[in-house]
Amino acid sequence: MAATEPVDIVELGVGDAQAGLVLSTEAGWNQNEADWRFFLSKGIVFGMRDGARLVATAALLPYSAANAWISMVLVTADFRRRGIARRLVDACLGVATRRGLTTWLDATPAGTSVYGPLGFTPTLQLRRLRLPKPPEAKATRQLSAGNIEALVVRDAGAMGFDRSTLLSEFAARSGSHVVSCAQAMALIRDGRTARHIGPVLADRPDQALALVDAVVGTEPGSWLIDAVHSQDEFLNGLIRSGWNIERPFQRMRFGRATMLSAELPFAVAGPEFG
C-alpha cells in the first residue's frame, strides 16, 4: 500500500474480536478475546483496514450519567505516524459530542502530548505494576468471597458513575472472582499475559495492601495492577512487596465533570476501562 493511499474508517462488529486481539497482542497489551468482545458488543469500535487486514482501532465505551471511555487506540507498526490514531479518536469524540457524553481516557506519556491539544485535561495519574511469578503460592491472609452488588455500589462512589454492566460481565467470566478482606474489596480477572487485580477499594492503605497480598498468595502466576499514584502509601507498599512499575498513565477528561466521586480507589479496573 502506498503511504498516501487513503484508508476509510469503518465501524467494527463482534466478528472482529480476533483481528482486534492481533493488534493488542502486537502492542504487548494484556487484553484477551473476552475484552474485545465486550468492547465490540457494548461499545462503538472504529477501525481501518488494509484490504481484509485490520490495521487500526479506537473504541468508545459508554457508561452511565453521560460518561464514556475512549481506549483501544491501536495502530499496527507499518501504518503508524500517518495521523490514523488521531482520526480514529476524532471519530470517537464525534459520536460522544453528538450524544452529549463526557469522555475519559488513560493516556501513556506519548498519548498525553496528543490528547492535550485535542482539549483533554489531566486528572489523576496511574502506575501499572507487575508482580512476576512468585516461587510458590502461599496464602498469608484470609480472603472471603465478595459481593458483586456491593462492589458495583462502591465503584460507583469512586468513579462518580455506575459501571454495573462492565463489572457484572467481568465477574461472570470463568476465572474471575470478587474478593474481600476486612474493609477492602477487589475484582480479579484473567488477561492475556497476566491476572489483573482491580478495581481495589478500601477504607485505608493497609487494608488494600492486605487484600492484594492475600490475592497473590492464592495462586502462582504473573499479576498486574493499575494503582492510583496519589495513593502513595499503597503504591510504595506494593513496591516493597516486589511489584515493579512498568509504565505510567495519565487520566484525562474531555468535557465537564458530571459527578463528584465519594472516594479515591487504590487501583482501577484498567486503563482501557477506567
Side-chain angles (χ1 to χ4, degrees), residues 126-191:
L126 306 172
R127 295 293 183 270
R128 164 153 287 193
L129 299 97
R130 183 183 293 268
L131 182 68
K133 184 177 180 179
E136 63 179 82
K138 183 179 179 181
T140 57
R141 292 175 174 84
Q142 185 65 41
L143 275 177
S144 301
N147 181 283
I148 183 59
E149 289 80 13
L151 180 69
V152 164
V153 170
R154 192 157 187 183
D155 178 78
M159 293 296 295
F161 49 85
D162 178 82
R163 298 192 299 173
S164 54
T165 300
L166 172 73
L167 298 177
S168 297
E169 197 274 348
F170 278 170
R173 292 182 188 178
S174 175
S176 292
H177 307 287
V178 177
V179 295
S180 64
C181 181
Q183 299 303 309
M185 61 177 61
L187 193 147
I188 308 163
R189 60 186 173 89
D190 283 339

Side-chain angles (χ1 to χ4, degrees), residues 81-153:
R81 299 178 182 86
R82 302 187 192 184
I84 290 176
R86 168 100 182 233
R87 288 179 60 195
L88 290 168
V89 171
D90 282 343
C92 292
L93 287 175
V95 173
T97 299
R98 291 192 294 274
R99 296 187 180 187
L101 303 177
T102 293
T103 51
W104 303 76
L105 55 78
D106 290 329
T108 63
T112 302
S113 63
V114 173
Y115 300 127
L118 293 178
F120 283 87
T121 57
T123 59
L124 58 79
Q125 293 187 25
L126 306 172
R127 295 293 183 270
R128 164 153 287 193
L129 299 97
R130 183 183 293 268
L131 182 68
K133 184 177 180 179
E136 63 179 82
K138 183 179 179 181
T140 57
R141 292 175 174 84
Q142 185 65 41
L143 275 177
S144 301
N147 181 283
I148 183 59
E149 289 80 13
L151 180 69
V152 164
V153 170

Side-chain angles (χ1 to χ4, degrees), residues 124-126 226-232 235 264-268:
L124 58 79
Q125 293 187 25
L126 306 172
D226 295 296
V228 174
H229 181 251
S230 59
Q231 297 279 24
D232 52 349
L235 180 61
L264 192 65
F266 286 89
V268 302

Side-chain angles (χ1 to χ4, degrees), residues 230-241:
S230 59
Q231 297 279 24
D232 52 349
E233 186 176 339
F234 176 68
L235 180 61
N236 292 333
L238 292 175
I239 294 169
R240 288 194 299 270
S241 297

